[in-house]
Amino acid sequence: MTIKLIMVSKTDIPYLQTGIDEYIGRLKHYCSLEVVVIPALKNIGKAQPAEVKEREGQMILKHLEKVDAVMLLDEHGKEYTSVGFSEFLQKQMNAGTRTLAFVIGGAFGFSPAVYAAAHHQLSLSKMTFNHQMVRLFFAEQLYRAFTILHHE
C-alpha cells in the first residue's frame, strides 16, 4: 500500500520541518510514501476563508485519484489511540487499498468538495493545533503505527 501525504503550503518553521523530515525518512522503511506539498496561494490578502478553502480544495482534488482511500485530518474526525490507528492501517492493507491518502489542509480547513471526496476523517486531539504542527504530530503517529504493526 502506498501512503500519500498531501499538505497545503510548505512548512516554514525550521524545527518542525526537521522533525517532519526525520519521520518521513523513517517511514520509507515501512511503506511506499509519496509526499505532495501544494503551493501556498498567491494574492489572497483580502480573500474570504471560503474562497481560500475552495481554491486550495481544487488543488487538493487534482492530487487525488478515484481509487484512493482519502482520510482528512480534521478536528471533527474520529479519534484513535496509537494502537487503534495502527489497526485502521492494517485493515486498509488487508482490504487491498492501493493508496491511502492523508490530507492536511490549510489554516481554514477544507472545502465542501474535499469533504465530499473523503472516506474518513481523523482528529489528532480535541484541542486545536496549528496546521504546520499537525504535520509533525501526524508523521510521528504514522511512523508509530507502522512500528506497532511490526512489533517494534
Side-chain angles (χ1 to χ4, degrees):
M1 177 171 74
T2 297
I3 301 289
K4 187 186 302 183
L5 181 56
I6 301 172
M7 302 177 285
V8 174
S9 76
K10 68 178 187 168
T11 304
D12 58 9
I13 302 171
Y15 71 88
L16 291 176
Q17 188 60 55
T18 298
I20 293 164
D21 291 342
E22 174 69 24
Y23 286 108
I24 295 291
R26 292 180 185 191
L27 277 165
K28 290 181 179 179
H29 298 287
Y30 296 101
C31 63
S32 173
L33 182 66
E34 177 185 350
V35 178
V36 177
V37 178
I38 293 173
L41 295 175
K42 306 237 188 273
N43 304 320
I44 59 164
K46 294 186 180 188
Q48 294 296 312
E51 180 186 346
V52 172
K53 290 190 296 188
E54 182 64 32
R55 289 175 56 194
E56 289 175 346
Q58 291 169 0
M59 293 191 304
I60 289 168
L61 293 172
K62 287 180 183 178
H63 292 281
L64 296 174
E65 304 291 330
K66 289 184 181 188
V67 296
D68 291 352
V70 179
M71 179 176 259
L72 305 181
L73 274 77
D74 184 84
E75 63 186 339
H76 302 293
K78 181 176 180 178
E79 289 186 30
Y80 289 94
T81 63
S82 295
V83 171
F85 182 58
S86 71
E87 291 168 350
F88 168 82
L89 287 178
Q90 186 65 63
K91 286 178 185 173
Q92 292 298 307
M93 288 185 272
N94 293 347
T97 301
R98 291 181 53 192
T99 302
L100 179 55
F102 293 99
V103 185
I104 301 172
F108 298 116
F110 300 106
S111 69
V114 174
Y115 279 114
H119 303 97
H120 311 279
Q121 293 179 29
L122 167 68
S123 173
L124 294 178
S125 172
K126 291 181 180 171
M127 296 176 141
T128 301
F129 297 112
N130 172 296
H131 68 284
Q132 292 194 35
M133 294 178 83
V134 166
R135 298 167 188 196
L136 175 58
F137 299 157
F138 179 70
E140 191 280 334
Q141 283 300 300
L142 189 57
Y143 169 74
R144 182 177 300 273
F146 277 104
T147 63
I148 290 168
L149 290 174
H150 286 86
H151 307 289
E152 296 175 357

